[in-house]
Amino acid sequence: MSNSPVRAQAKGAERVSAEGNSAVGEHGVSKRAKAANRKPAEPVEPANSAKAAKAAKPVKPVKPMKATEPVKAVKPAKATKPAKATEPAKPARPAKPESRLAMVRRARRINRELAEVFPYAHPELDFRNPFELLVATVLSAQTTDLRVNQTTPALFAKYPTPEDLAAAVPEEVEELIRPTGFFRAKTKSIMGLAAALRDDFGGEVPGRLEDLVKLPGVGRKTAFVVLGNAFGVPGITVDTHFMRLVRRWRWTESDDPVKIEAEVATIFPKSEWTMLSHRVIFHGRRICHARKPACGACPITHLCPSYGEGETDPEKAKKLLKYEMGGFPGQRLDPPPGYPGRPAPPLGASGG
């Protein structure tokens, strides 16, 4: 009886051992363990929970829209590369300089065309004899011919001859010529030349350049005005207008009156000198002004190398024209026959 429990326990152990041996593979690994390594067992869910999971299947969330990409900033234009210092730009080829022959031909053509524009060109000082022309020319320094013409009638009415003027009272002469400016210096000059004419030339104005330039207040310009217009002796009058225009036209580069006179004299025949002076001075006073030339109204722009220095608009340029070209009175109170403009008014009159 005492051995029965032991036996029973031994039998149970044998049975367990037999079951254990049946579950072990040839490599001593349990078949169940192999199965477990191959595929893990899925947990069994309760039937009710599976149905609930299906019923409460969540809706897939909507994918958020991609944020719009910011507009890319426009890249600034690349700066142009500066020219290489080793390769400087080639300068433009300078215009071919005008030859002496071409300049002379152009200058003479200007003279011919100005003769057509101003066929009535003349000295713009009123005078009746060489003495009056000489005195009027001296008074015209630093003033206009118009102002001189408005002043000389009273002067010549009181002192008609060199002898009369030489014997005048200086203060009385000063008062008469005051409107011309610099009246004290001018009084000294005209009374001095009157005395020289009385004492050295018998009261007559000489007709030679070398004699005229010896008189007080008389230079080459004044002498040529008198010689050309009172004696018919050709001469070139180089006043401020003449100097300005011949430089603009590139007839000369000098600013010395004597040199300009000599250079221009080589361009034109002697017979043209006096009238050339009148035409150039007329053009300078009426169209080719010092401060603002009326380029747009100029008849010789095709011959002028300085075109564009002044107003080029035709309508604006037309308003810059002076004297008869602009429809205004001229400078002479007593203009010569054939002058197309209106006479200037006397001193003190309306428009004077």
Side-chain angles (χ1 to χ4, degrees), residues 279-343:
R279 293 164 191 153
V280 173
I281 293 171
F282 255 60
H283 190 66
R285 285 175 171 169
R286 287 151 176 78
I287 299 175
C288 197
H289 314 307
R291 295 183 181 177
K292 200 170 185 181
C295 292
C298 179
I300 58 167
T301 54
H302 55 293
L303 299 171
C304 182
S306 298
Y307 172 76
E309 287 188 9
E311 180 59 64
T312 57
D313 181 81
E315 292 302 319
K316 293 180 180 179
K318 190 176 180 181
K319 296 178 181 179
L320 299 174
L321 300 178
K322 293 185 178 180
Y323 305 115
E324 77 281 358
M325 301 296 287
F328 302 105
Q331 298 199 86
R332 294 190 67 166
L333 278 66
D334 184 22
Y339 176 66
R342 291 178 288 160

Side-chain angles (χ1 to χ4, degrees), residues 260-273:
I260 291 174
E261 176 198 324
E263 290 181 30
V264 174
T266 65
I267 300 174
F268 299 92
K270 196 172 183 178
S271 59
E272 288 289 324
W273 289 356

